[in-house]
Amino acid sequence: MSNHDAERLAKEGVDALQRGQSAIARARFETITQSGRANAQIWLLLAVACRSDGDRVAEEAALDQLLALEPQAVRGHIMKGDCRSHAGDDRNALQRYEIALLVAQRQDLPPDLHSEVQRAETWVATFKARIVEQRENKLIDAGLPPDARSPRFQRSLDILAGRKRIFVQEPTGYYVPELPQIQFYDPAAFAWAPALEAANGAIRDELVALLAAGGDGFRPYMTSHVDRARADANPLLDNSDWSTLFFAENGALSDDVIARCPKTWEAVNAVPLPWIASSPTVMFSLLRPGARIAPHNGMHNARLICHLPLIVPPNCGFRVGNDVRQWEEGKLLIFDDTIEHEAWNNSHEDRVVLIFDIWRPELSDRERQEIATFFANPALD
């Protein structure tokens, strides 16, 4: 068969499809495939003709040939998923639809394919919802209703169902391996926590006195520097919507602030602050109405971050990984800041918390000394 003959047959087949004459179209395309001159487009057209002709088996065989030639064919995977779904093989249908959706994200799709992709998305969402419902019913029948499950097991189900994501430590600088992936720690596990929470009233009084005097010393947390270029355009850069007053900034003490807030400094010094190069950081953190701190990760996971909420209006929130919590005045939050986290103040008043870092409790004294030595001797090579 010459190229001219193949082109003629292809045109006749397309014309027949447009007229609704699927049997004629199928015969034209099959003639081309039998000659060995079929490309991916001809196999796709044959699959369309077979579907219109009601022959799912032949359609799927044509699709297999298409996908062997063009593995990234979005329409081919969707049609293959349709064939598997029609055959009652929903598991393989799911696989085909998900491949199509993944490939579609990397392609500029023609307008006529958008509706097919949306149809695949709807099928996948519906199928997964049905699986989640079936799983829930089976667990309930087995004596495990939601209120009888352990928190960790329930979180595993939430991740499996897509209600939550898997968040892990992703420090921007230094990583200590084999530490537990915990978003929020229970303050009850820290012997020093009750005393610090008991000092909340005195700490808040010192903060209120500072603010009443004009809040002298508060400055934007994120400040620009000529010698420290930034790749992002963070709206809080040089913006007082997120302001801080430092007792210690990366290990450098502010004697004036310490002198004005002696009870705060005394209370914080009773906790295991990491006195190493560039640590600790202790500060009052003020977030103004409407401000939002975008999702981000901390620099190293040898420490945990602590929040002691001091002034907390309604409609403020804080997320670490999947866990969203509300600050409660006087109630400590202890979390791993190398797991993605964010904060917001949707109220009409300022929110202020005391923030400080502590050693991770899992690190031995030897490991802490080794890490301190490392940070005291930085190297670029």
Side-chain angles (χ1 to χ4, degrees):
M1 179 183 293
S2 66
N3 287 338
H4 176 74
D5 289 337
E7 290 172 2
R8 175 181 56 78
L9 288 169
K11 184 178 184 305
E12 291 176 359
V14 170
D15 290 342
L17 272 179
Q18 292 174 343
R19 293 192 302 269
Q21 298 172 319
S22 57
I24 294 174
R26 177 176 176 177
R28 298 297 188 273
F29 299 135
E30 284 178 339
T31 301
I32 300 173
T33 62
Q34 290 164 5
S35 73
R37 303 187 67 87
N39 57 20
Q41 183 65 22
I42 294 300
W43 286 112
L44 175 60
L45 289 168
L46 176 58
V48 172
C50 291
R51 173 176 292 196
S52 298
D53 208 26
D55 191 342
R56 287 283 187 174
V57 174
E59 174 193 353
E60 191 164 6
L63 290 170
D64 289 340
Q65 294 293 330
L66 159 66
L67 293 170
L69 292 172
E70 193 173 325
Q72 304 296 303
V74 173
R75 193 186 301 276
H77 284 294
I78 292 175
M79 292 179 66
K80 177 77 173 181
D82 294 343
C83 290
R84 288 293 85 214
S85 177
H86 185 266
D89 183 7
D90 284 347
R91 290 291 180 179
N92 277 318
L94 174 66
Q95 181 187 48
R96 289 296 176 169
Y97 289 135
E98 288 189 323
I99 290 173
L101 297 178
L102 181 63
V103 175
Q105 294 176 1
R106 304 194 295 261
Q107 295 183 3
D108 292 325
L109 302 178
D112 65 310
L113 193 51
H114 285 291
S115 61
E116 287 295 282
V117 170
Q118 291 173 354
R119 182 172 65 81
E121 289 175 339
T122 300
W123 190 99
V124 169
T126 301
F127 176 78
K128 288 186 173 181
R130 187 168 73 248
I131 294 299
V132 169
E133 183 179 6
Q134 291 173 354
R135 184 186 300 124
E136 283 291 310
N137 290 337
K138 287 181 179 179
L139 286 171
I140 291 171
D141 292 342
L144 273 179
D147 58 359
R149 299 170 192 167
S150 66
R152 179 152 47 192
F153 177 63
Q154 182 58 52
R155 287 196 295 271
S156 75
L157 297 178
D158 291 337
I159 291 171
L160 190 61
R163 293 187 291 264
K164 292 186 176 182
R165 287 173 47 197
I166 298 174
F167 285 94
V168 297
Q169 298 161 5
E170 295 182 276
T172 60
Y174 175 72
Y175 177 69
V176 181
E178 301 173 9
L179 293 174
Q181 306 284 341
I182 299 173
Q183 295 168 171
F184 282 98
Y185 281 68
D186 183 357
F190 297 82
W192 51 265
L196 187 75
E197 290 183 338
N200 171 70
I203 295 172
R204 191 180 191 280
D205 288 344
E206 291 183 338
L207 167 66
V208 170
L210 285 174
L211 296 175
D216 182 47
F218 276 86
R219 62 169 174 78
Y221 176 74
M222 302 178 67
T223 56
S224 56
H225 297 274
V226 174
D227 58 347
R228 259 185 269 162
R230 296 184 62 91
D232 62 341
N234 195 305
L236 291 175
L237 184 64
D238 297 320
N239 187 337
S240 61
D241 282 354
W242 183 15
S243 298
T244 52
L245 181 69
F246 287 97
F247 292 78
E249 182 178 10
N250 299 324
L253 302 185
S254 174
D255 294 334
D256 176 60
V257 176
I258 291 171
R260 285 186 287 165
C261 303
K263 293 180 180 178
T264 302
W265 187 242
E266 179 184 4
V268 171
N269 270 273
V271 311
L273 299 173
W275 290 100
I276 61 178
S278 300
S279 287
T281 289
V282 180
M283 62 184 180
F284 289 134
S285 174
L286 185 153
L287 198 61
R288 297 202 182 280
R292 188 179 195 99
I293 302 171
H296 62 288
N297 299 74
M299 292 191 65
H300 69 84
N301 67 334
R303 66 183 179 186
L304 298 176
I305 305 299
C306 303
H307 284 187
L308 181 67
L310 301 170
I311 299 175
V312 184
N315 300 317
C316 292
F318 184 55
R319 177 184 68 84
V320 179
N322 289 301
D323 200 344
V324 177
R325 299 196 179 183
Q326 307 296 317
W327 289 287
E328 296 181 51
E329 293 182 4
K331 301 292 186 181
L332 269 170
L333 292 179
I334 303 174
F335 65 97
D336 183 342
D337 77 326
T338 64
I339 296 173
E340 183 185 275
H341 58 289
E342 62 179 325
W344 57 91
N345 179 358
N346 293 334
S347 77
H348 300 289
E349 305 172 46
D350 293 343
R351 179 240 64 182
V352 188
V353 300
L354 175 68
I355 299 179
F356 56 92
D357 48 339
I358 61 171
W359 280 111
R360 287 190 72 114
E362 301 89 357
L363 295 174
S364 67
D365 290 341
R366 176 182 177 180
E367 288 170 326
R368 294 181 185 187
Q369 183 56 51
E370 290 169 336
I371 292 168
T373 301
F374 167 78
F375 278 107
N377 295 275
L380 294 178
D381 53 7

